[in-house]
Structure formats: C-alpha cells, structure tokens
Amino acid sequence: MPRLIAEAPADAIELQDLVAELDAGRFDPKDEDAFASWGPSLKRLANNRNFLGDIILAELKQRCDSQVRGNQYGAPVIMLHRADSYFIRANLWPAEADTLVRQSGIDPFFYHVPHDHNFSFLTVGYLGPGYWSDYYEYDYGQVTGYLGEEVDLQFIERSRLELGKVMLYRAHKDVHLQLPADAMSVSINIVETSPCTAFRDQYRFDVSNRTVAGIMTRTSLEPLLLLAAHHGGGNGTDLLEDFAARHPSDRVRWAALKALAGTADGLDDRIAVFERGTTDESRLVAEMARVTMDKLEQSRAWVETPRVLEAAA
C-alpha cells in the first residue's frame, strides 16, 4: 500500500511557503525517501484550514480563468501550482449519493477502477472522511502489459484517506481500487511530472482475475498517428512504418502498427499487418498483435457475412 508518513507537525503554512520550500530544496521524485521527506511540509499546508477556500473564492470571482488556462484535468481537480518537476492540486471526492455523482456518474473520479499510477505523488486528507481504497502491490518489472496478462497482485488492506493522513503513492508499485467517500472529501497532492511520464504505462487491472484489463495512459501522439494513416498519403505511411519499426516506446510502436492496420483493404491484409507485429522484440507489441489477430479471426464470419449477402443479391 502507499507509504504512510507518520510525522504530523501541528503548525500551518501557506501554499506559497510550500512552493518556496520545494523550489529551494532537493525535490527528487525518483528517490522514494527524498519524496517522502516532503510529507511533513504537505501536512503543514493541510493544517491551514483557510487557504483552499480562499483560492476557490478567488477563482470563482474571476470565472475560474486560471483553471481554464492551466488545468488539464476535469472539474474534480483544482490546480494550485505548476512547476517543472511537480505540481500541486486539490481533488474533490464526492459521496455516491451526492448530486454531482448522480448527475455526472462516477467516471471522472475513477471509483471502482483498480489502477496503478505512472507517477509518484504525496497526498493528504484535507476535508471530510476521505475516500476508501482496497490497496494492492505488484512488481512492475515482471509485467509486460498486454491485455489479459496475469499479474501477481498482492492484496494489502482496505483503508481510507482520513483527515490529516499523509501517504506516498509509489509509481508502478501501489495499486488501489478506489471507493467513494462516505461524504464529500478533499485531498491535496504533490505530484511528480516529467516529459517521459506520457510514455510510462499506467494499467487498469481486473483484481478478481488478477490480470491487466487495460492501458490507461494516453498521449496526443496516438490520434495523430491515426490522422497520418488516413490523411497523410505516402509520407504518412512511411512515417508510420518507421514508428512501428523503430520508435523507442513499445506503446507507440503498437499504436503505429494499429494505425497501419486500419488502412488495410480487407481482413486478410489487416491480419497480415498484425502478423508482422508478432515478431517484434517487445513482448507488449508481440502479444497485443497476437491477441488482436485472434480476435479478428474469431470475427471473420461476422465481418465477411455482408459480402456474402451482397453477392447473393
């Protein structure tokens, strides 16, 4: 489960104080102990019971202009500060019976979606009873990441992010199945950020079957590959062939291969593209290509039925 930060200072600081400390200190998100050492500072910010309300009121007075310009997340997230190697945010966690959930659903809050994170972050319970989680751990280095792959998920416990509780979620190690808070709650995070984060896989898991159920990481590169495939002409095809063969990211190679397959004339040609992928040195690309080929073969009768009917007519 996430690493619990036991130290609980009683004094309070302002947001700008925390930012100044982070900017002046040794903030190294790759060093677990160094990252955990910022837990007491985050707790001091959480001891300030007024700062977040003041920020929210100021945002409302300016029609949330800074959130519109600088917040890449949805409505449940309030961006508080952004720097080169980290950002600070507040997260809203409504109860399942709250109007917000009944009108918008649970998707924006990732409730009931077991997942890990491709970044580490510190979190503290700031308001309310806190969300619940079933916590698991796994060995990222032993997982390839293809759909249906078996994972040795170790259940640790069910607990919640209570008021003042500080934890460090460790990238590619801690998995949680997040459950709704009993009442509206708020957490505050210090989150690591890096240009390479988008290329580090974040998984969704099937905890009942202990398997990988999906890859949650998305980048703007993937839809651009689809555009290149369908509207880039020969240059687009050449680019995709190069990406599929040589891009350093396994997931980008797989996305390029899928984009190429999407332009194939028929089912057999599409299968042939994926068959090339089964020889990729990456187990992720090879296994995803194999799984996709199997699904296409299983759907062959359904795909080819319209042509049979047209010929008969």
Side-chain angles (χ1 to χ4, degrees):
M1 63 171 290
R3 177 171 171 174
L4 182 65
I5 312 300
E7 186 178 342
D11 57 315
I13 59 175
E14 299 290 342
L15 175 62
Q16 58 266 32
D17 297 326
L18 175 59
V19 170
E21 289 182 16
L22 286 164
D23 291 345
R26 177 176 171 263
F27 180 75
D28 182 2
K30 300 299 184 292
D31 184 328
E32 181 181 326
D33 290 336
F35 205 159
S37 71
W38 292 103
S41 294
L42 181 60
K43 177 61 169 64
R44 290 185 177 95
L45 179 63
N47 291 340
N48 185 332
R49 308 310 299 160
N50 299 316
F51 92 96
L52 185 57
D54 292 341
I55 290 174
I56 291 173
L57 288 173
E59 288 284 354
L60 291 172
K61 287 178 181 179
Q62 62 178 5
R63 299 185 178 181
C64 301
D65 180 62
S66 65
Q67 296 299 314
V68 172
R69 288 185 287 106
N71 188 351
Q72 64 181 354
Y73 294 93
V77 172
I78 303 168
M79 190 61 64
L80 302 177
H81 179 77
R82 184 178 291 277
D84 290 338
S85 59
Y86 72 91
F87 61 86
I88 305 172
R89 68 184 180 187
N91 299 277
L92 308 181
W93 305 109
E96 209 155 17
D98 285 347
T99 301
L100 181 62
V101 173
R102 287 190 281 109
Q103 292 182 345
S104 302
I106 62 174
D107 289 350
F109 311 102
F110 288 92
Y111 290 152
H112 307 293
V113 180
H115 62 282
D116 69 343
H117 298 89
N118 57 353
F119 53 86
S120 295
F121 66 97
L122 277 166
T123 187
V124 61
Y126 183 73
L127 181 71
Y131 62 80
W132 291 89
S133 286
D134 285 344
Y135 288 112
Y136 301 79
E137 292 182 10
Y138 82 113
D139 185 349
Y140 179 79
Q142 298 299 313
V143 175
T144 301
Y146 60 89
L147 302 187
E149 180 182 6
E150 293 185 2
V151 180
D152 184 21
L153 286 174
Q154 299 293 322
F155 177 74
I156 306 300
E157 68 172 20
R158 172 176 291 190
S159 62
R160 65 181 176 184
L161 185 65
E162 299 167 346
L163 186 66
K165 186 176 183 179
V166 182
M167 295 192 297
L168 174 64
Y169 280 76
R170 298 161 295 180
H172 305 305
K173 184 176 182 68
D174 296 312
V175 174
H176 70 147
L177 192 167
Q178 203 164 354
L179 305 169
D182 296 328
M184 174 63 79
S185 300
V186 177
S187 64
I188 302 171
N189 304 156
I190 302 174
V191 184
E192 74 157 297
T193 182
S194 165
C196 68
T197 300
F199 296 101
R200 293 158 53 184
D201 290 333
Q202 178 185 20
Y203 298 128
R204 175 168 52 87
F205 297 95
D206 179 339
V207 295
S208 297
N209 295 309
R210 299 292 201 276
T211 59
V212 174
I215 299 175
M216 299 176 67
T217 319
R218 294 290 181 270
T219 70
S220 58
L221 180 60
E222 294 176 49
L224 290 177
L225 293 176
L226 292 174
L227 288 173
H230 292 279
H231 303 287
N235 286 335
T237 300
D238 289 344
L239 178 67
L240 290 170
E241 291 283 2
D242 184 69
F243 272 35
R246 281 177 283 277
H247 198 280
S249 167
D250 294 354
R251 185 157 43 82
V252 172
R253 291 208 305 280
W254 168 238
L257 196 70
K258 285 192 297 180
L260 284 169
T263 64
D265 291 333
L267 182 62
D268 288 330
D269 290 338
R270 185 171 298 181
I271 289 174
V273 173
F274 288 121
E275 188 172 10
R276 287 165 42 195
T278 61
T279 64
D280 194 283
E281 63 181 15
S282 161
R283 190 180 174 197
L284 170 65
V285 176
E287 289 293 338
M288 290 295 287
R290 181 188 58 77
V291 169
T292 304
M293 283 179 58
D294 290 344
K295 289 182 178 178
L296 289 173
E297 286 290 357
Q298 292 169 13
S299 64
R300 179 180 290 276
W302 179 82
V303 171
E304 295 182 342
T305 295
R307 295 184 180 180
V308 174
L309 294 177
E310 288 176 8

